[in-house]
Amino acid sequence: MEELQPLYDKSIECLHCKEPSTTKKIRSRFIKVARYDTDFCPIYKDPTANTLYYYIHVCPHCGFSFSEDFSRYFPPTTQEDIEEKVCSKWNPHHFSDERSIEDAIKTYKLASYCGALKKEKHIIQAGILLRIAWLYRFQKKQEQEKRFLKLALLEYEASYSTGDFSGTQVSEVRILYLAGDISKRIGNTQAAVKYFSMVLERQKNAMEASIIKMARDRWHEIKEESVTSNLAAHA
């Protein structure tokens, strides 16, 4: 009997050109998360079974790249923009085999560009940019990680101010928590305290007790760091 492989082919239809193709996915039994970073980045026990590598679909026919979170709706003129700026320049190739981390980063950057042309929701764009930052974190490329964390933060802030996250799986509390965590990671402690405080203000109505606890822990962490640095300054 043939041994079951972690990767399998999933059939997809391009949202833009409607052509069928396949993309690789990882079977759930092979996905084992050892832990999560404070911004929900999964750290896998087996780095080769990393579902992040296969989150984006790239159409081999037209180049349009998207995740399952993209809406099927294209605002007026966006398909013409995509045709002109993506499809007409597409040199047909595919990402439908096993992907390296470099392949994965390319697919996310393509999806980010396509999402911008499609005028996809800020919350969707934020998730793509955050995942690019995670991939650079795996590579220990701190400058690139920080660059994409900053871009993700801008999209989370835009999503919060426009409310375009409503109706998605991402709650208000989760956005505010992520904005706080990312702010701390890029060195903006003041903004981090503001966002974590906003999370704690909503704890009575929030369903996500674990996120409330994480925000409280991060808030205390910042306060302790502040006390320690003040003591060191006056030592």
Side-chain angles (χ1 to χ4, degrees):
M1 188 173 165
E2 192 179 340
E3 189 181 353
L4 194 67
Q5 296 301 308
L7 292 174
Y8 69 94
D9 287 322
K10 180 177 179 175
S11 298
I12 56 162
E13 179 186 271
C14 178
L15 292 180
H16 175 67
C17 75
K18 307 299 182 191
E19 287 286 340
S21 61
T22 62
T23 190
K24 288 278 190 273
K25 290 286 183 185
I26 300 179
R27 288 187 169 88
S28 56
R29 72 177 67 180
F30 291 93
I31 303 166
K32 292 181 172 62
V33 178
R35 62 182 176 83
Y36 291 92
D37 284 345
T38 55
D39 59 356
F40 308 116
C41 173
I43 309 300
Y44 293 94
K45 287 181 180 175
D46 177 3
T48 63
N50 189 329
T51 60
L52 291 171
Y53 290 12
Y54 304 97
Y55 181 73
I56 300 296
H57 312 313
V58 179
C59 175
H61 306 285
C62 73
F64 185 72
S65 305
F66 58 101
S67 75
E68 287 173 15
D69 299 322
F70 274 43
S71 74
R72 303 192 75 80
Y73 170 70
F74 285 79
T77 76
T78 55
Q79 285 199 283
E80 290 84 347
D81 264 1
I82 290 161
E83 199 64 44
E84 179 195 339
K85 292 171 181 170
V86 178
C87 309
S88 68
K89 296 176 170 60
W90 181 245
N91 180 18
H93 62 284
H94 62 82
F95 290 91
S96 54
D97 292 328
E98 187 172 348
R99 292 177 185 172
S100 66
I101 192 165
E102 287 80 11
D103 291 334
I105 289 169
K106 283 177 191 170
T107 67
Y108 280 98
K109 287 181 177 178
L110 283 166
S112 177
Y113 183 54
C114 290
L117 292 174
K118 184 181 177 292
K119 297 182 170 62
E120 194 55 69
K121 285 183 173 186
H122 295 294
I123 193 64
I124 304 301
Q125 286 286 72
I128 289 172
L129 293 163
L130 181 59
R131 286 171 174 83
I132 297 175
W134 292 347
L135 293 173
Y136 280 124
R137 187 179 305 167
F138 296 151
Q139 291 187 314
K140 298 186 166 41
K141 293 184 177 176
Q142 292 177 345
E143 279 186 32
Q144 289 290 354
E145 179 193 344
K146 202 168 183 179
R147 177 185 163 216
F148 281 94
L149 284 175
K150 286 177 179 176
L151 292 170
L153 178 59
L154 289 174
E155 293 291 343
Y156 279 120
E157 289 173 334
S159 178
Y160 179 69
S161 64
T162 60
D164 80 358
F165 61 90
S166 63
T168 72
Q169 291 181 319
V170 186
S171 66
E172 180 186 45
V173 162
R174 193 179 181 93
I175 285 183
L176 290 170
Y177 172 79
L178 275 168
D181 189 273
I182 294 169
S183 295
K184 186 175 189 305
R185 285 176 179 274
I186 62 177
N188 191 342
T189 308
Q190 198 174 352
V193 169
K194 178 187 82 171
Y195 284 121
F196 290 141
S197 298
M198 287 170 79
V199 172
L200 297 176
E201 283 165 13
R202 287 158 176 75
Q203 61 186 317
K204 281 184 184 173
N205 303 320
M207 303 294 286
E208 296 148 299
S210 60
I211 293 180
I212 302 293
K213 183 184 182 305
M214 288 169 77
R216 190 179 291 111
D217 290 346
R218 303 291 276 150
W219 190 87
H220 284 305
E221 202 178 289
I222 291 169
K223 292 297 177 190
E224 284 169 18
E225 285 169 4
S226 175
V227 169
T228 305
S229 63
N230 285 338
L231 288 172
H234 293 96

